[in-house]
Amino acid sequence: MGPRRVGLVGLGTISKYYLHAIERSPGWELAAVCDVRESALAPHRDTAPCFPDHHAMLRGVALDAAVVTAPNDVHAPVCRDVLRAGIPVCVEKPLSSSHAEGRALAALSDALGVPLFTAFHRRYNDNVLGLLDEVRRRGGAESLRVRYLELIEDHIGGDTWYLDPDRCGGGCVADNGPNAFDLVRLFLGEVELVDATVRRDGEVDRQAVVELRSTAGVPAVVELDWSYPGEAKDVEVRCHDGTELRADMLAGHPGFKSSLWHEYGGILDDFAATVDAGHRTDDGGLPALELVAQIYRTELAGAPAGGEST
């Protein structure tokens, strides 16, 4: 088998990490790029077929897979079209901007037998994986805290849609939340929402404290902040043997956002395994979407968490 021919939909801030990972991997070949902006396509005109919309890309190039890193509000419609074309798709978290859309995508993937994969890049962080191994060696976690703190304006480049709640799906809870919730599930397994406090600047939620609990009763706290002066992203664990351990996701990766380079290589490796399996092999990002929906509903109701999500 030759390398898998992949098309990339969306050439915003995150796309460069996928492009770097594709270029470095012998298992992948960039077959096409797609973006609605000519300015985004221009740097790729000499290296790959360029398309102004994903429909044209799906018609014009034979693909083995597609990666969707467009704004959150178009994840669902683009992924739906890719799946209906019979092409496995990797979508940048969150799977969609609503839980209902996410459920529909997962159902479509299952019905068609076409792989759907949600990319949570922090689960591939080398420091996180080292901590996970040590926690397991010590018998598991007694409690957990994940911090995901940053000044969002420093991270989005020209992708101003992050600050549009309609396009992002919300704010820090909708966008950074899924990565943090996925890390909690990586350490603890399935979790439920206990309570959440959300603070907004106008319509955008910029800070949140989310309390979770695993099915085994282990508590976890997720702290999210889009107004933090600088950047802090870490996992703290108290193990059953009383040891307190911490992983700094940024340690050993000097330079702004430099930890992402190796994480996106891990995404493509896992996506390749999903493509080869020929069907959806994980939950498709649905638990994270459900937590997001529950948190916003809890905020709206001003009451403790619980009940069915929408």
Side-chain angles (χ1 to χ4, degrees), residues 71-81 83-84 89 91-92 94-110 116 118 165-170 174 280 283-290 292-293 309-310:
N72 295 351
D73 62 319
V74 298
H75 284 186
V78 173
C79 288
R80 185 168 56 244
D81 292 339
L83 290 172
R84 286 174 175 168
V89 59
V91 58
E92 180 69 8
L95 171 59
S96 73
S97 56
S98 82
H99 189 219
E101 288 181 331
R103 288 198 307 265
L105 283 178
L108 180 63
S109 169
D110 291 342
L116 171 67
T118 304
D166 291 333
R167 303 204 68 194
C168 180
R280 189 165 65 94
D283 54 48
L286 287 176
L289 284 184
E290 183 172 4
V292 170
S309 63
T310 57

mmCIF file of all heavy atoms in Angstrom, residues 71-81 83-84 89 91-92 94-110 116 118 165-170 174 280 283-290 292-293 309-310:
data_model
loop_
_atom_site.group_PDB
_atom_site.id
_atom_site.type_symbol
_atom_site.label_atom_id
_atom_site.label_comp_id
_atom_site.label_asym_id
_atom_site.label_seq_id
_atom_site.Cartn_x
_atom_site.Cartn_y
_atom_site.Cartn_z
ATOM 1 N N PRO A 71 -13.792 26.211 10.916
ATOM 2 C CA PRO A 71 -14.457 26.696 12.132
ATOM 3 C C PRO A 71 -15.481 25.698 12.671
ATOM 4 O O PRO A 71 -16.080 24.918 11.926
ATOM 5 C CB PRO A 71 -15.121 27.998 11.665
ATOM 6 C CG PRO A 71 -14.227 28.482 10.561
ATOM 7 C CD PRO A 71 -13.784 27.238 9.850
ATOM 8 N N ASN A 72 -15.693 25.750 13.981
ATOM 9 C CA ASN A 72 -16.522 24.757 14.666
ATOM 10 C C ASN A 72 -17.930 24.633 14.094
ATOM 11 O O ASN A 72 -18.493 23.538 14.053
ATOM 12 C CB ASN A 72 -16.624 25.093 16.157
ATOM 13 C CG ASN A 72 -15.293 24.992 16.880
ATOM 14 O OD1 ASN A 72 -14.304 24.519 16.329
ATOM 15 N ND2 ASN A 72 -15.263 25.443 18.122
ATOM 16 N N ASP A 73 -18.503 25.755 13.656
ATOM 17 C CA ASP A 73 -19.896 25.719 13.220
ATOM 18 C C ASP A 73 -20.097 24.975 11.909
ATOM 19 O O ASP A 73 -21.235 24.604 11.584
ATOM 20 C CB ASP A 73 -20.473 27.135 13.112
ATOM 21 C CG ASP A 73 -19.757 27.983 12.073
ATOM 22 O OD1 ASP A 73 -18.523 27.914 11.993
ATOM 23 O OD2 ASP A 73 -20.440 28.728 11.338
ATOM 24 N N VAL A 74 -19.034 24.722 11.160
ATOM 25 C CA VAL A 74 -19.182 23.971 9.911
ATOM 26 C C VAL A 74 -18.630 22.547 10.005
ATOM 27 O O VAL A 74 -18.623 21.816 9.025
ATOM 28 C CB VAL A 74 -18.535 24.716 8.716
ATOM 29 C CG1 VAL A 74 -19.222 26.045 8.492
ATOM 30 C CG2 VAL A 74 -17.041 24.898 8.905
ATOM 31 N N HIS A 75 -18.188 22.136 11.193
ATOM 32 C CA HIS A 75 -17.716 20.762 11.351
ATOM 33 C C HIS A 75 -18.783 19.763 10.924
ATOM 34 O O HIS A 75 -18.502 18.821 10.170
ATOM 35 C CB HIS A 75 -17.327 20.491 12.810
ATOM 36 C CG HIS A 75 -16.014 21.084 13.207
ATOM 37 N ND1 HIS A 75 -15.441 20.859 14.437
ATOM 38 C CD2 HIS A 75 -15.155 21.898 12.545
ATOM 39 C CE1 HIS A 75 -14.285 21.500 14.511
ATOM 40 N NE2 HIS A 75 -14.097 22.150 13.380
ATOM 41 N N ALA A 76 -20.003 19.943 11.427
ATOM 42 C CA ALA A 76 -21.058 18.964 11.154
ATOM 43 C C ALA A 76 -21.411 18.877 9.673
ATOM 44 O O ALA A 76 -21.416 17.777 9.107
ATOM 45 C CB ALA A 76 -22.296 19.262 11.997
ATOM 46 N N PRO A 77 -21.713 19.994 8.984
ATOM 47 C CA PRO A 77 -22.070 19.850 7.574
ATOM 48 C C PRO A 77 -20.943 19.338 6.694
ATOM 49 O O PRO A 77 -21.186 18.539 5.775
ATOM 50 C CB PRO A 77 -22.501 21.267 7.167
ATOM 51 C CG PRO A 77 -21.965 22.171 8.201
ATOM 52 C CD PRO A 77 -21.918 21.380 9.461
ATOM 53 N N VAL A 78 -19.706 19.751 6.960
ATOM 54 C CA VAL A 78 -18.596 19.257 6.144
ATOM 55 C C VAL A 78 -18.375 17.766 6.392
ATOM 56 O O VAL A 78 -18.240 16.972 5.452
ATOM 57 C CB VAL A 78 -17.305 20.053 6.431
ATOM 58 C CG1 VAL A 78 -16.111 19.428 5.700
ATOM 59 C CG2 VAL A 78 -17.464 21.512 6.002
ATOM 60 N N CYS A 79 -18.347 17.370 7.660
ATOM 61 C CA CYS A 79 -18.154 15.942 7.969
ATOM 62 C C CYS A 79 -19.274 15.093 7.390
ATOM 63 O O CYS A 79 -19.029 13.982 6.889
ATOM 64 C CB CYS A 79 -18.077 15.738 9.480
ATOM 65 S SG CYS A 79 -16.544 16.322 10.239
ATOM 66 N N ARG A 80 -20.491 15.595 7.433
ATOM 67 C CA ARG A 80 -21.617 14.850 6.866
ATOM 68 C C ARG A 80 -21.408 14.600 5.378
ATOM 69 O O ARG A 80 -21.600 13.480 4.888
ATOM 70 C CB ARG A 80 -22.911 15.628 7.111
ATOM 71 C CG ARG A 80 -24.164 14.898 6.659
ATOM 72 C CD ARG A 80 -25.409 15.572 7.198
ATOM 73 N NE ARG A 80 -25.487 16.980 6.820
ATOM 74 C CZ ARG A 80 -25.458 17.998 7.692
ATOM 75 N NH1 ARG A 80 -25.326 17.759 8.991
ATOM 76 N NH2 ARG A 80 -25.545 19.242 7.267
ATOM 77 N N ASP A 81 -20.974 15.613 4.658
ATOM 78 C CA ASP A 81 -20.745 15.453 3.220
ATOM 79 C C ASP A 81 -19.596 14.500 2.934
ATOM 80 O O ASP A 81 -19.655 13.699 1.990
ATOM 81 C CB ASP A 81 -20.468 16.812 2.581
ATOM 82 C CG ASP A 81 -21.682 17.724 2.578
ATOM 83 O OD1 ASP A 81 -22.810 17.218 2.694
ATOM 84 O OD2 ASP A 81 -21.499 18.961 2.476
ATOM 85 N N LEU A 83 -18.516 12.016 4.897
ATOM 86 C CA LEU A 83 -18.965 10.658 5.207
ATOM 87 C C LEU A 83 -19.862 10.106 4.104
ATOM 88 O O LEU A 83 -19.723 8.940 3.709
ATOM 89 C CB LEU A 83 -19.710 10.648 6.541
ATOM 90 C CG LEU A 83 -18.871 10.869 7.803
ATOM 91 C CD1 LEU A 83 -19.787 11.040 9.013
ATOM 92 C CD2 LEU A 83 -17.905 9.714 8.037
ATOM 93 N N ARG A 84 -20.763 10.919 3.593
ATOM 94 C CA ARG A 84 -21.663 10.461 2.533
ATOM 95 C C ARG A 84 -20.906 10.156 1.246
ATOM 96 O O ARG A 84 -21.383 9.366 0.423
ATOM 97 C CB ARG A 84 -22.750 11.511 2.288
ATOM 98 C CG ARG A 84 -23.803 11.550 3.399
ATOM 99 C CD ARG A 84 -24.785 12.680 3.212
ATOM 100 N NE ARG A 84 -25.852 12.630 4.213
ATOM 101 C CZ ARG A 84 -26.704 13.610 4.434
ATOM 102 N NH1 ARG A 84 -26.620 14.747 3.725
ATOM 103 N NH2 ARG A 84 -27.644 13.490 5.350
ATOM 104 N N VAL A 89 -13.107 10.468 7.928
ATOM 105 C CA VAL A 89 -12.855 11.858 8.265
ATOM 106 C C VAL A 89 -12.333 11.990 9.691
ATOM 107 O O VAL A 89 -12.835 11.353 10.617
ATOM 108 C CB VAL A 89 -14.124 12.722 8.060
ATOM 109 C CG1 VAL A 89 -15.282 12.220 8.912
ATOM 110 C CG2 VAL A 89 -13.843 14.191 8.348
ATOM 111 N N VAL A 91 -11.885 14.988 12.376
ATOM 112 C CA VAL A 91 -12.337 16.352 12.612
ATOM 113 C C VAL A 91 -11.698 16.893 13.877
ATOM 114 O O VAL A 91 -11.658 16.225 14.913
ATOM 115 C CB VAL A 91 -13.882 16.428 12.684
ATOM 116 C CG1 VAL A 91 -14.440 15.522 13.777
ATOM 117 C CG2 VAL A 91 -14.356 17.866 12.889
ATOM 118 N N GLU A 92 -11.180 18.093 13.795
ATOM 119 C CA GLU A 92 -10.620 18.768 14.959
ATOM 120 C C GLU A 92 -11.705 18.926 16.017
ATOM 121 O O GLU A 92 -12.875 19.192 15.704
ATOM 122 C CB GLU A 92 -10.068 20.130 14.525
ATOM 123 C CG GLU A 92 -9.447 20.956 15.627
ATOM 124 C CD GLU A 92 -8.148 20.385 16.158
ATOM 125 O OE1 GLU A 92 -7.611 19.415 15.581
ATOM 126 O OE2 GLU A 92 -7.667 20.914 17.184
ATOM 127 N N PRO A 94 -14.105 20.603 18.673
ATOM 128 C CA PRO A 94 -15.119 19.621 19.022
ATOM 129 C C PRO A 94 -15.703 18.972 17.769
ATOM 130 O O PRO A 94 -15.625 19.527 16.683
ATOM 131 C CB PRO A 94 -16.177 20.454 19.742
ATOM 132 C CG PRO A 94 -16.087 21.799 19.081
ATOM 133 C CD PRO A 94 -14.612 21.989 18.785
ATOM 134 N N LEU A 95 -16.288 17.799 17.956
ATOM 135 C CA LEU A 95 -16.901 17.087 16.839
ATOM 136 C C LEU A 95 -17.877 17.982 16.094
ATOM 137 O O LEU A 95 -17.934 17.971 14.861
ATOM 138 C CB LEU A 95 -17.608 15.842 17.374
ATOM 139 C CG LEU A 95 -18.498 15.046 16.429
ATOM 140 C CD1 LEU A 95 -17.716 14.556 15.220
ATOM 141 C CD2 LEU A 95 -19.127 13.879 17.176
ATOM 142 N N SER A 96 -18.666 18.750 16.815
ATOM 143 C CA SER A 96 -19.591 19.712 16.210
ATOM 144 C C SER A 96 -19.878 20.789 17.243
ATOM 145 O O SER A 96 -19.368 20.737 18.368
ATOM 146 C CB SER A 96 -20.892 19.034 15.770
ATOM 147 O OG SER A 96 -21.677 18.697 16.895
ATOM 148 N N SER A 97 -20.685 21.760 16.873
ATOM 149 C CA SER A 97 -21.017 22.836 17.807
ATOM 150 C C SER A 97 -22.273 22.535 18.611
ATOM 151 O O SER A 97 -22.708 23.364 19.398
ATOM 152 C CB SER A 97 -21.168 24.170 17.061
ATOM 153 O OG SER A 97 -22.123 24.061 16.030
ATOM 154 N N SER A 98 -22.866 21.340 18.432
ATOM 155 C CA SER A 98 -23.998 20.939 19.263
ATOM 156 C C SER A 98 -23.984 19.433 19.454
ATOM 157 O O SER A 98 -23.511 18.685 18.593
ATOM 158 C CB SER A 98 -25.331 21.365 18.640
ATOM 159 O OG SER A 98 -25.760 20.448 17.650
ATOM 160 N N HIS A 99 -24.504 19.004 20.603
ATOM 161 C CA HIS A 99 -24.540 17.576 20.896
ATOM 162 C C HIS A 99 -25.454 16.838 19.934
ATOM 163 O O HIS A 99 -25.157 15.710 19.510
ATOM 164 C CB HIS A 99 -25.006 17.377 22.341
ATOM 165 C CG HIS A 99 -24.884 15.966 22.820
ATOM 166 N ND1 HIS A 99 -25.822 15.363 23.618
ATOM 167 C CD2 HIS A 99 -23.923 15.016 22.610
ATOM 168 C CE1 HIS A 99 -25.460 14.126 23.881
ATOM 169 N NE2 HIS A 99 -24.307 13.891 23.289
ATOM 170 N N ALA A 100 -26.569 17.456 19.558
ATOM 171 C CA ALA A 100 -27.502 16.812 18.629
ATOM 172 C C ALA A 100 -26.833 16.548 17.283
ATOM 173 O O ALA A 100 -26.982 15.458 16.700
ATOM 174 C CB ALA A 100 -28.747 17.674 18.447
ATOM 175 N N GLU A 101 -26.084 17.523 16.778
ATOM 176 C CA GLU A 101 -25.366 17.322 15.518
ATOM 177 C C GLU A 101 -24.316 16.227 15.650
ATOM 178 O O GLU A 101 -24.105 15.437 14.725
ATOM 179 C CB GLU A 101 -24.708 18.626 15.078
ATOM 180 C CG GLU A 101 -25.655 19.692 14.575
ATOM 181 C CD GLU A 101 -24.919 20.933 14.139
ATOM 182 O OE1 GLU A 101 -23.831 21.210 14.686
ATOM 183 O OE2 GLU A 101 -25.432 21.645 13.251
ATOM 184 N N GLY A 102 -23.646 16.192 16.785
ATOM 185 C CA GLY A 102 -22.644 15.164 17.005
ATOM 186 C C GLY A 102 -23.243 13.775 17.012
ATOM 187 O O GLY A 102 -22.685 12.838 16.425
ATOM 188 N N ARG A 103 -24.382 13.615 17.665
ATOM 189 C CA ARG A 103 -25.056 12.312 17.667
ATOM 190 C C ARG A 103 -25.433 11.889 16.251
ATOM 191 O O ARG A 103 -25.298 10.713 15.878
ATOM 192 C CB ARG A 103 -26.312 12.367 18.544
ATOM 193 C CG ARG A 103 -26.059 12.434 20.038
ATOM 194 C CD ARG A 103 -27.302 12.039 20.828
ATOM 195 N NE ARG A 103 -28.468 12.807 20.439
ATOM 196 C CZ ARG A 103 -28.891 13.914 21.043
ATOM 197 N NH1 ARG A 103 -28.207 14.393 22.076
ATOM 198 N NH2 ARG A 103 -29.979 14.542 20.641
ATOM 199 N N ALA A 104 -25.914 12.860 15.473
ATOM 200 C CA ALA A 104 -26.317 12.548 14.093
ATOM 201 C C ALA A 104 -25.118 12.117 13.262
ATOM 202 O O ALA A 104 -25.212 11.183 12.447
ATOM 203 C CB ALA A 104 -27.005 13.755 13.461
ATOM 204 N N LEU A 105 -23.980 12.756 13.447
ATOM 205 C CA LEU A 105 -22.773 12.368 12.711
ATOM 206 C C LEU A 105 -22.317 10.966 13.097
ATOM 207 O O LEU A 105 -21.949 10.157 12.234
ATOM 208 C CB LEU A 105 -21.647 13.366 12.979
ATOM 209 C CG LEU A 105 -21.708 14.707 12.269
ATOM 210 C CD1 LEU A 105 -20.535 15.575 12.712
ATOM 211 C CD2 LEU A 105 -21.687 14.538 10.759
ATOM 212 N N ALA A 106 -22.316 10.677 14.389
ATOM 213 C CA ALA A 106 -21.910 9.347 14.834
ATOM 214 C C ALA A 106 -22.843 8.278 14.270
ATOM 215 O O ALA A 106 -22.390 7.207 13.838
ATOM 216 C CB ALA A 106 -21.892 9.294 16.362
ATOM 217 N N ALA A 107 -24.141 8.576 14.255
ATOM 218 C CA ALA A 107 -25.105 7.617 13.711
ATOM 219 C C ALA A 107 -24.883 7.412 12.217
ATOM 220 O O ALA A 107 -24.978 6.278 11.709
ATOM 221 C CB ALA A 107 -26.527 8.105 13.974
ATOM 222 N N LEU A 108 -24.576 8.505 11.508
ATOM 223 C CA LEU A 108 -24.321 8.399 10.073
ATOM 224 C C LEU A 108 -23.068 7.571 9.810
ATOM 225 O O LEU A 108 -23.052 6.712 8.910
ATOM 226 C CB LEU A 108 -24.176 9.797 9.466
ATOM 227 C CG LEU A 108 -23.908 9.861 7.962
ATOM 228 C CD1 LEU A 108 -25.081 9.279 7.174
ATOM 229 C CD2 LEU A 108 -23.640 11.313 7.533
ATOM 230 N N SER A 109 -22.020 7.803 10.584
ATOM 231 C CA SER A 109 -20.784 7.025 10.446
ATOM 232 C C SER A 109 -21.056 5.540 10.639
ATOM 233 O O SER A 109 -20.588 4.702 9.858
ATOM 234 C CB SER A 109 -19.749 7.515 11.466
ATOM 235 O OG SER A 109 -18.637 6.648 11.538
ATOM 236 N N ASP A 110 -21.817 5.227 11.661
ATOM 237 C CA ASP A 110 -22.122 3.828 11.942
ATOM 238 C C ASP A 110 -22.981 3.215 10.833
ATOM 239 O O ASP A 110 -22.763 2.070 10.417
ATOM 240 C CB ASP A 110 -22.835 3.705 13.281
ATOM 241 C CG ASP A 110 -21.926 4.016 14.461
ATOM 242 O OD1 ASP A 110 -20.686 3.993 14.277
ATOM 243 O OD2 ASP A 110 -22.444 4.298 15.553
ATOM 244 N N LEU A 116 -15.248 7.834 11.485
ATOM 245 C CA LEU A 116 -15.323 9.201 11.984
ATOM 246 C C LEU A 116 -14.425 9.279 13.212
ATOM 247 O O LEU A 116 -14.564 8.473 14.130
ATOM 248 C CB LEU A 116 -16.767 9.551 12.349
ATOM 249 C CG LEU A 116 -17.006 10.869 13.092
ATOM 250 C CD1 LEU A 116 -16.685 12.060 12.187
ATOM 251 C CD2 LEU A 116 -18.459 10.949 13.581
ATOM 252 N N THR A 118 -12.520 11.981 16.059
ATOM 253 C CA THR A 118 -12.364 13.323 16.625
ATOM 254 C C THR A 118 -10.958 13.479 17.182
ATOM 255 O O THR A 118 -10.486 12.628 17.938
ATOM 256 C CB THR A 118 -13.393 13.582 17.737
ATOM 257 O OG1 THR A 118 -14.710 13.383 17.222
ATOM 258 C CG2 THR A 118 -13.281 15.020 18.240
ATOM 259 N N PRO A 165 -19.705 33.427 19.531
ATOM 260 C CA PRO A 165 -20.331 32.251 20.147
ATOM 261 C C PRO A 165 -21.124 31.397 19.166
ATOM 262 O O PRO A 165 -21.175 30.171 19.316
ATOM 263 C CB PRO A 165 -21.246 32.854 21.221
ATOM 264 C CG PRO A 165 -20.643 34.183 21.523
ATOM 265 C CD PRO A 165 -20.068 34.675 20.225
ATOM 266 N N ASP A 166 -21.723 32.019 18.153
ATOM 267 C CA ASP A 166 -22.501 31.256 17.185
ATOM 268 C C ASP A 166 -21.607 30.356 16.338
ATOM 269 O O ASP A 166 -21.999 29.245 15.962
ATOM 270 C CB ASP A 166 -23.299 32.195 16.274
ATOM 271 C CG ASP A 166 -24.411 32.898 17.009
ATOM 272 O OD1 ASP A 166 -24.910 32.342 18.007
ATOM 273 O OD2 ASP A 166 -24.787 34.012 16.595
ATOM 274 N N ARG A 167 -20.410 30.802 16.032
ATOM 275 C CA ARG A 167 -19.496 30.023 15.206
ATOM 276 C C ARG A 167 -18.660 29.049 16.037
ATOM 277 O O ARG A 167 -18.360 27.941 15.589
ATOM 278 C CB ARG A 167 -18.568 30.944 14.410
ATOM 279 C CG ARG A 167 -19.306 31.949 13.527
ATOM 280 C CD ARG A 167 -18.442 32.401 12.385
ATOM 281 N NE ARG A 167 -18.215 31.308 11.454
ATOM 282 C CZ ARG A 167 -17.282 31.331 10.488
ATOM 283 N NH1 ARG A 167 -16.487 32.384 10.373
ATOM 284 N NH2 ARG A 167 -17.143 30.315 9.666
ATOM 285 N N CYS A 168 -18.305 29.456 17.246
ATOM 286 C CA CYS A 168 -17.484 28.611 18.116
ATOM 287 C C CYS A 168 -18.310 27.542 18.811
ATOM 288 O O CYS A 168 -17.801 26.466 19.135
ATOM 289 C CB CYS A 168 -16.784 29.490 19.147
ATOM 290 S SG CYS A 168 -15.726 28.616 20.315
ATOM 291 N N GLY A 169 -19.594 27.835 19.041
ATOM 292 C CA GLY A 169 -20.426 26.954 19.838
ATOM 293 C C GLY A 169 -20.519 27.404 21.278
ATOM 294 O O GLY A 169 -21.169 26.771 22.102
ATOM 295 N N GLY A 170 -19.873 28.522 21.589
ATOM 296 C CA GLY A 170 -19.823 29.069 22.939
ATOM 297 C C GLY A 170 -18.512 29.808 23.116
ATOM 298 O O GLY A 170 -18.130 30.615 22.270
ATOM 299 N N ALA A 174 -16.882 25.468 25.305
ATOM 300 C CA ALA A 174 -17.149 24.746 24.056
ATOM 301 C C ALA A 174 -15.878 24.368 23.320
ATOM 302 O O ALA A 174 -15.814 23.305 22.685
ATOM 303 C CB ALA A 174 -18.039 25.588 23.141
ATOM 304 N N ARG A 280 -15.875 3.399 12.710
ATOM 305 C CA ARG A 280 -15.663 4.269 13.860
ATOM 306 C C ARG A 280 -15.206 3.426 15.036
ATOM 307 O O ARG A 280 -15.879 2.473 15.422
ATOM 308 C CB ARG A 280 -16.957 5.009 14.189
ATOM 309 C CG ARG A 280 -16.814 6.110 15.230
ATOM 310 C CD ARG A 280 -18.045 7.011 15.230
ATOM 311 N NE ARG A 280 -19.244 6.293 15.646
ATOM 312 C CZ ARG A 280 -19.716 6.263 16.892
ATOM 313 N NH1 ARG A 280 -19.078 6.898 17.852
ATOM 314 N NH2 ARG A 280 -20.820 5.613 17.173
ATOM 315 N N ASP A 283 -15.589 6.915 20.617
ATOM 316 C CA ASP A 283 -16.881 7.527 20.875
ATOM 317 C C ASP A 283 -17.148 8.740 19.992
ATOM 318 O O ASP A 283 -18.207 9.353 20.091
ATOM 319 C CB ASP A 283 -16.996 7.931 22.345
ATOM 320 C CG ASP A 283 -15.837 8.818 22.790
ATOM 321 O OD1 ASP A 283 -15.511 9.795 22.087
ATOM 322 O OD2 ASP A 283 -15.236 8.529 23.830
ATOM 323 N N GLY A 284 -16.158 9.121 19.152
ATOM 324 C CA GLY A 284 -16.372 10.232 18.233
ATOM 325 C C GLY A 284 -16.500 11.589 18.878
ATOM 326 O O GLY A 284 -16.987 12.535 18.266
ATOM 327 N N GLY A 285 -16.085 11.719 20.125
ATOM 328 C CA GLY A 285 -16.143 13.021 20.777
ATOM 329 C C GLY A 285 -17.478 13.339 21.422
ATOM 330 O O GLY A 285 -17.675 14.443 21.921
ATOM 331 N N LEU A 286 -18.393 12.391 21.443
ATOM 332 C CA LEU A 286 -19.725 12.654 21.989
ATOM 333 C C LEU A 286 -19.731 12.949 23.492
ATOM 334 O O LEU A 286 -20.462 13.848 23.930
ATOM 335 C CB LEU A 286 -20.661 11.497 21.678
ATOM 336 C CG LEU A 286 -21.124 11.388 20.225
ATOM 337 C CD1 LEU A 286 -21.966 10.129 20.037
ATOM 338 C CD2 LEU A 286 -21.918 12.622 19.821
ATOM 339 N N PRO A 287 -18.985 12.220 24.330
ATOM 340 C CA PRO A 287 -19.016 12.556 25.761
ATOM 341 C C PRO A 287 -18.603 13.995 26.051
ATOM 342 O O PRO A 287 -19.179 14.645 26.929
ATOM 343 C CB PRO A 287 -18.029 11.552 26.369
ATOM 344 C CG PRO A 287 -18.067 10.389 25.446
ATOM 345 C CD PRO A 287 -18.200 10.999 24.076
ATOM 346 N N ALA A 288 -17.616 14.504 25.330
ATOM 347 C CA ALA A 288 -17.204 15.896 25.536
ATOM 348 C C ALA A 288 -18.325 16.853 25.156
ATOM 349 O O ALA A 288 -18.589 17.835 25.864
ATOM 350 C CB ALA A 288 -15.947 16.200 24.730
ATOM 351 N N LEU A 289 -18.991 16.580 24.037
ATOM 352 C CA LEU A 289 -20.107 17.429 23.626
ATOM 353 C C LEU A 289 -21.238 17.388 24.647
ATOM 354 O O LEU A 289 -21.901 18.404 24.904
ATOM 355 C CB LEU A 289 -20.632 16.995 22.263
ATOM 356 C CG LEU A 289 -19.834 17.373 21.023
ATOM 357 C CD1 LEU A 289 -20.583 16.936 19.776
ATOM 358 C CD2 LEU A 289 -19.558 18.868 20.970
ATOM 359 N N GLU A 290 -21.496 16.218 25.209
ATOM 360 C CA GLU A 290 -22.560 16.104 26.208
ATOM 361 C C GLU A 290 -22.235 16.929 27.446
ATOM 362 O O GLU A 290 -23.104 17.603 27.997
ATOM 363 C CB GLU A 290 -22.770 14.646 26.584
ATOM 364 C CG GLU A 290 -23.920 14.447 27.563
ATOM 365 C CD GLU A 290 -24.256 12.994 27.785
ATOM 366 O OE1 GLU A 290 -23.551 12.131 27.233
ATOM 367 O OE2 GLU A 290 -25.228 12.722 28.499
ATOM 368 N N VAL A 292 -20.337 19.605 27.553
ATOM 369 C CA VAL A 292 -20.499 21.014 27.175
ATOM 370 C C VAL A 292 -21.964 21.415 27.257
ATOM 371 O O VAL A 292 -22.313 22.460 27.831
ATOM 372 C CB VAL A 292 -19.929 21.261 25.762
ATOM 373 C CG1 VAL A 292 -20.330 22.659 25.265
ATOM 374 C CG2 VAL A 292 -18.412 21.124 25.753
ATOM 375 N N ALA A 293 -22.847 20.597 26.689
ATOM 376 C CA ALA A 293 -24.275 20.899 26.709
ATOM 377 C C ALA A 293 -24.807 20.969 28.130
ATOM 378 O O ALA A 293 -25.588 21.865 28.479
ATOM 379 C CB ALA A 293 -25.040 19.852 25.898
ATOM 380 N N SER A 309 -29.095 15.673 28.671
ATOM 381 C CA SER A 309 -28.590 16.778 27.865
ATOM 382 C C SER A 309 -29.408 16.884 26.577
ATOM 383 O O SER A 309 -30.124 15.968 26.201
ATOM 384 C CB SER A 309 -27.120 16.569 27.524
ATOM 385 O OG SER A 309 -26.974 15.425 26.736
ATOM 386 N N THR A 310 -29.250 18.029 25.927
ATOM 387 C CA THR A 310 -29.957 18.246 24.659
ATOM 388 C C THR A 310 -28.963 18.422 23.549
ATOM 389 O O THR A 310 -27.791 18.638 23.782
ATOM 390 C CB THR A 310 -30.868 19.490 24.742
ATOM 391 O OG1 THR A 310 -30.037 20.615 25.099
ATOM 392 C CG2 THR A 310 -31.933 19.296 25.790
#
